[in-house]
Amino acid sequence: KKQSLGATGSRLLSGDSAYARNLELWLSRVHNRSTATLFNSGYDANLSVLSSLLFPDDWVILDELCHNSLIMGIKMSRKRDYITFAHNNVADLQCKLEDMPPLQTGQCCLIV
């Protein structure tokens, strides 16, 4: 049976492979982490990570031209809204940051 890695569907649908497991193991060792997870695509990674990462009190600031998968991941999370800044405009981002209230203990600010 030929095995490979690629965008052929999730492992749940197309099955797991030794290649995927070995790559995750190698990545976890390279980055000195207990585990690593491969995603089928950047879109899947953005949805999965952002939907589980954010809490309602967190702040999210996005480039106004960011990919839709980032917006969808945020909307799927416990944090439903976000602030945008002008595309690639660090001065506008700085203004948004200066307008924010101070972060409370346990609160985070994600900038994308």
Side-chain angles (χ1 to χ4, degrees), residues 21-93:
R21 289 190 308 276
N22 289 336
L23 181 55
E24 286 175 336
L25 181 61
W26 180 80
L27 287 168
S28 69
R29 289 179 180 159
V30 166
H31 294 285
N32 196 27
R33 299 289 184 246
S34 59
T35 60
T37 302
L38 288 178
F39 290 96
N40 194 44
S41 67
Y43 192 95
D44 288 340
N46 289 340
L47 290 180
S48 299
V49 172
L50 290 174
S51 66
S52 61
L53 182 70
L54 301 167
F55 290 94
D57 292 335
D58 293 337
W59 285 87
V60 179
I61 306 175
L62 299 174
D63 185 300
E64 66 184 355
L65 297 182
C66 72
H67 193 269
N68 186 54
S69 62
L70 296 165
I71 295 168
M72 295 307 297
I74 291 163
K75 288 184 175 182
M76 290 171 58
S77 76
R78 292 163 279 198
K79 175 68 178 176
R80 305 277 181 199
D81 57 344
Y82 54 89
I83 299 168
T84 60
F85 64 94
H87 179 60
N88 285 342
N89 189 324
V90 177
D92 189 43
L93 172 59

